[in-house]
Amino acid sequence: MKKKIWTVILALGAINYIFMALAGESLGLDTQGNQPLLFGLSALFLFIIWLMWRKPKPSKQAKQAKRSNSPLEGRVIETPGLRVQYLGGRVYDYGTGKQLSKKQLRCIRQTMELNRDRDRRVASDCLELTTKTMNPDVFFFRYDMLIETLALLSLYHRLFRIPSQSPEPELRRALESRNMLTEDFIRRSHSNMAQKAAALKTEKARCGRYEKYYQEMGPYIEHLSVQARQTLEELKQGDAGYLTDETVETSVAPAPKTVSPVVGKEVAAFSELPFTIPDDVLNLLWIKNGPLCNCAAAEENEPSAIDLSLPLDLSPTENDQTADIGYYPSYERLTPAKRTVYLQWLSDITTPVPIGYVFIFYYGLERFLFTDKYEAALAMIDRLRQSHENSSLFAYSADALLAGCLLHNRSDLISTFDIGKASTDLYLYTEGYLTGRFTAHDLISTCRRWGFTNTRYIKGQPELFETQLTEVLAEKYGSPAFPLAREDYARAERTFTIALANTSLPQDARFAAAKDITSNPDVAQNVCSLLQEAHDRVKRILAEERKKNR
C-alpha cells in the first residue's frame, strides 16, 4: 500500500514540475532559466518510480534453476526425423552431441506446425485411454505416447515461443501422476477381470481368466514402481485360490520365459511363415535381415522395416486382430501377436484391418517413391486407397501420389489415379507444372482458389458451364485448356509445403516448398475472367431458353 501511495505522490510531483517548466511564465510564475532544473526533477521522480516497480533481473543461478525445473531438462525427444536432447535451454542432436543448426530448427518448426493440431488430439486421446482402458498393452503404450507427445509439444513452445498456452504443466502432471495412474489401472483392470471371471460357469474357466490377467501384466512388471508392484502383489495373494505355481511372479522382475514352438517363434525367412505374402507386396517391403535384406544404414529407423529376428506369436487372439495399434505405428514396437497379424494381412492387403497396420505398410511405400520401384509403389498406394476407407490415409496418400509423379516428372501417371482429397495446392502445382495447362474441369473444381465465388451456375448447371468454359478457352487459346509456363510459377507470391507421412525420411525428402500458382496475380485475373465469361454465356443461354418456353 505504501508503495502505491509513494508512486502517486512522485507521479503528481513529476507532472507538477513538467507543467511549471512548460506553462509557468504564462501563469505569472518566475521560472525563467529554471526549466532544466524542473525537467531534471521530473526525470528524477520518474526514475525513482521505475526503480520501485522494476523486476530484478534473475541471476544466472536462478535462470539455471528455472531451466533445471523444466520437465524437458535432460529429456531425449523424438522429433520427426531427428532425436534431440534438451539441456540448459538449448537443443542438441542426440546422435552427434552438437547444437542444432538454424536449418535443422527450421525443419523441426515446419514439421511441428504441420502436426501440432494432430499431436494435441493424440495427447488428448492418450490421456483419455489411460484412464479408461482395461488392456495393459494399451495402457502402457498410450502412457508412453502421452509423455512423448506432450514433450514434443512443450519443446515446440519453448523453442519458438508460441503465444498459446504451453503444455509443459500437463507434461509435469503426467510424469508426476505415473504411479497414481498405474495403480488406478491395476485396480480398475483387476476389478473388471474379476467381474467377468465371476460370470463364467466353470471353475477352470475362471482360473484361466485370472491366469491370463497376470500373464498379460507380466511383461510390464519390471517397469512398475515399488508401490504399484506391491499393489499387484496384494491382489495376486488375494487371488491365490485361482492361480497355479507357474503364474507370473509379481514381487520381482519376471524370469525369462521358455520359448515355445508357437509363442516367441523366430523366422529366418518369409518362406517359414504359415502363410504366403505375394511377390508384388514382398518386393515393396523393407527388410532388415534374412535373404531379402534391403535395409542399409539410411533405412535403420524405417517404421515399416521387418526384423525377422523379432519373435512372433503365431496364434493371435481375436483382440489382437481387432485392437487399434495407435498413432505412429512401427513393426518393431508391435507385440509378437500383432506382428503376426500384420504379416498375415500382407498376404492379402485388401482385407479389413485396423488402419494402423495399413499405415505401417504405407510408410514403406513412401520411401520406395525415392527409388527405381516408384511406379510399383504408386500403384500399391492407389490399391490401398481403393481397399481401405480412412480420411487420414486418403489425405496423405493423395499427396504422395502427386508428389511421386512430380518427383519423377511423370505427368502421364496423374490421370491413372483417383486423387480425391488431395491438397488443392499440390494438385494445381503438379498438374500445371508437369502438363503446362489446366483443363476446364481443373479451373471449375478449384474456382474459389482463384477468387471466383459466384458458383450459382457451376452448381446448378455444371455440364453446361463446363461446355461453355471449354469453348471460351478454345476461342482464346486455340485449345480447350488454359496454358501455363513454368515462369508463371516463379512469379507466384506464396508457397506451400509438400509433406509426406513417414517421419523417418530425411527432412529434405519429407518436406519441400512449392509455389502456389493461384497467388500469381496475372494468372488468377485471367482465370477469373475466363470463368466470368463462361458464367455470362450460361446466363444468356438460360435466359433465351426461358423466353422460348413462354
Side-chain angles (χ1 to χ4, degrees):
M1 188 65 182
K2 289 182 179 180
K3 187 177 178 181
K4 291 182 179 179
I5 293 173
W6 276 109
T7 301
V8 172
I9 293 172
L10 291 170
L12 291 173
I15 293 170
N16 182 53
Y17 283 134
I18 293 172
F19 182 75
M20 289 173 62
L22 296 175
E25 292 184 5
S26 62
L27 296 174
L29 300 176
D30 186 13
T31 57
Q32 188 173 5
N34 294 326
Q35 284 89 345
L37 176 62
L38 294 172
F39 281 123
L41 288 170
S42 301
L44 177 62
F45 285 3
L46 294 173
F47 180 67
I48 293 172
I49 293 173
W50 177 76
L51 288 175
M52 289 168 60
W53 288 94
R54 78 185 181 97
K55 292 182 180 179
K57 188 176 180 180
S59 63
K60 288 185 178 179
Q61 292 81 1
K63 286 182 178 179
Q64 189 63 36
K66 185 177 179 181
R67 287 169 182 162
S68 62
N69 288 332
S70 169
L72 292 175
E73 186 63 29
R75 180 171 289 278
V76 178
I77 302 170
E78 293 282 354
T79 66
L82 188 65
R83 179 179 290 183
V84 302
Q85 186 172 29
Y86 183 86
L87 287 171
R90 299 178 185 274
V91 183
Y92 299 87
D93 185 330
Y94 188 69
T96 64
K98 296 180 180 179
Q99 191 172 341
L100 297 191
S101 64
K102 290 183 178 179
K103 182 179 180 181
Q104 287 174 313
L105 287 172
R106 267 197 313 272
C107 290
I108 288 176
R109 179 167 191 170
Q110 193 175 41
T111 310
M112 289 180 170
E113 284 177 350
L114 285 170
N115 297 337
R116 179 177 54 185
D117 293 339
R118 183 186 64 184
D119 287 342
R120 287 189 180 280
R121 290 195 300 273
V122 170
S124 177
D125 291 346
C126 289
L127 184 60
E128 182 179 1
L129 280 169
T130 54
T131 59
K132 293 182 178 180
T133 185
M134 306 295 176
N135 186 311
D137 289 341
V138 174
F139 174 81
F140 290 102
F141 175 73
R142 286 291 186 163
Y143 178 82
D144 290 342
M145 183 180 287
L146 173 65
I147 298 301
E148 291 173 7
T149 307
L150 288 176
L152 192 63
L153 289 168
S154 299
L155 181 68
Y156 174 61
H157 278 258
R158 272 207 171 243
L159 280 181
F160 308 116
R161 300 179 182 178
I162 307 303
S164 58
Q165 185 178 357
S166 171
E168 218 169 288
E170 297 175 50
L171 174 60
R172 181 177 282 104
R173 283 195 297 271
L175 289 168
E176 292 173 351
S177 62
R178 178 184 176 92
N179 288 340
M180 182 191 71
L181 287 171
T182 305
E183 287 189 57
D184 178 65
F185 164 72
I186 291 172
R187 295 186 186 280
R188 182 176 70 247
S189 59
H190 181 272
S191 174
N192 179 69
M193 177 275 299
Q195 289 176 12
K196 290 182 177 179
L200 298 174
K201 294 181 179 181
T202 66
E203 187 70 14
K204 182 178 179 181
R206 285 192 287 272
C207 290
R209 181 61 63 95
Y210 278 88
E211 287 282 353
K212 182 181 178 183
Y213 174 77
Y214 288 102
Q215 286 174 1
E216 289 178 345
M217 289 295 298
Y220 304 102
I221 291 173
E222 60 184 6
H223 302 296
L224 299 180
S225 66
V226 175
Q227 191 173 352
R229 191 178 294 176
Q230 184 178 353
T231 300
L232 188 61
E233 178 64 19
E234 290 172 358
L235 292 172
K236 181 187 170 187
Q237 289 175 1
D239 300 333
Y242 297 102
L243 305 176
T244 66
D245 294 337
E246 297 179 357
T247 303
V248 172
E249 181 61 55
T250 56
S251 57
V252 294
K257 296 181 182 178
T258 303
V259 177
S260 71
V262 176
V263 180
K265 178 178 176 61
E266 296 180 9
V267 295
F270 288 98
S271 57
E272 296 181 24
L273 293 172
F275 38 80
T276 302
I277 299 176
D279 289 342
D280 59 341
V281 174
L282 196 61
N283 290 333
L284 293 173
L285 295 178
W286 292 100
I287 304 166
K288 286 190 173 182
N289 39 38
L292 300 177
C293 174
N294 60 353
C295 281
E299 294 84 32
E300 185 178 350
N301 296 321
E302 168 58 44
S304 71
I306 296 173
D307 185 347
L308 295 174
S309 67
L310 294 175
L312 301 174
D313 180 350
L314 298 181
S315 300
T317 65
E318 183 179 350
N319 181 64
D320 291 324
Q321 295 174 359
T322 58
D324 178 28
I325 59 175
Y327 296 89
Y328 308 113
S330 72
Y331 180 83
E332 185 177 355
R333 290 205 303 264
L334 295 176
T335 63
K338 290 176 180 176
R339 291 191 195 109
T340 300
V341 173
Y342 174 65
L343 293 174
Q344 193 165 13
W345 172 74
L346 290 177
S347 65
D348 182 3
I349 64 167
T350 63
T351 56
V353 71
I355 198 63
Y357 295 107
V358 181
F359 264 102
I360 292 178
F361 183 43
Y362 171 75
Y363 291 150
L365 296 177
E366 282 194 342
R367 185 177 288 276
F368 273 112
L369 294 180
F370 299 90
T371 70
D372 57 1
K373 294 184 179 180
Y374 73 90
E375 274 194 78
L378 288 170
M380 191 63 71
I381 290 173
D382 191 47
R383 187 175 165 193
L384 289 179
R385 288 167 57 83
Q386 295 172 24
S387 305
H388 303 277
E389 290 191 14
N390 178 269
S391 57
S392 294
L393 178 66
F394 283 165
Y396 275 120
S397 59
D399 285 0
L401 290 173
L402 290 174
C405 294
L406 183 65
L407 182 65
H408 298 282
N409 199 28
R410 292 293 302 272
S411 59
D412 57 303
L413 294 177
I414 297 177
S415 60
T416 64
F417 304 129
D418 176 12
I419 51 174
K421 297 202 174 181
S423 160
T424 303
D425 291 330
L426 183 55
Y427 174 77
L428 288 173
Y429 182 84
T430 308
E431 177 74 12
Y433 194 82
L434 293 181
T435 65
R437 62 187 180 85
F438 288 138
T439 64
H441 179 75
D442 294 333
L443 298 180
I444 291 170
S445 62
T446 59
C447 63
R448 291 187 178 274
R449 293 302 306 275
W450 301 102
F452 186 79
T453 58
N454 190 354
T455 59
R456 177 184 177 185
Y457 297 127
I458 290 177
K459 293 178 179 179
Q461 300 287 335
E463 294 180 0
L464 179 59
F465 194 99
E466 185 170 346
T467 300
Q468 294 305 309
L469 181 57
T470 302
E471 290 181 5
V472 171
L473 289 168
E475 292 171 8
K476 187 164 186 177
Y477 300 109
S479 169
F482 179 78
L484 280 173
R486 297 201 169 180
E487 292 75 18
D488 293 329
Y489 284 90
R491 289 193 290 271
E493 298 174 355
R494 294 190 303 268
T495 60
F496 66 95
T497 301
I498 302 173
L500 299 179
N502 189 339
T503 59
S504 72
L505 291 170
Q507 295 288 336
D508 56 351
R510 188 184 175 207
F511 297 102
K515 290 288 189 176
D516 176 6
I517 188 62
T518 64
S519 65
N520 181 321
D522 295 334
V523 173
Q525 185 178 357
N526 288 337
V527 170
C528 283
S529 298
L530 294 168
L531 291 168
Q532 186 61 50
E533 175 63 24
H535 176 92
D536 294 340
R537 291 191 181 191
V538 172
K539 185 177 180 179
R540 286 196 296 270
I541 292 171
L542 295 177
E544 290 173 0
E545 288 181 354
R546 285 194 297 272
K547 286 181 181 179
K548 291 178 181 178
N549 295 330
R550 285 179 183 174

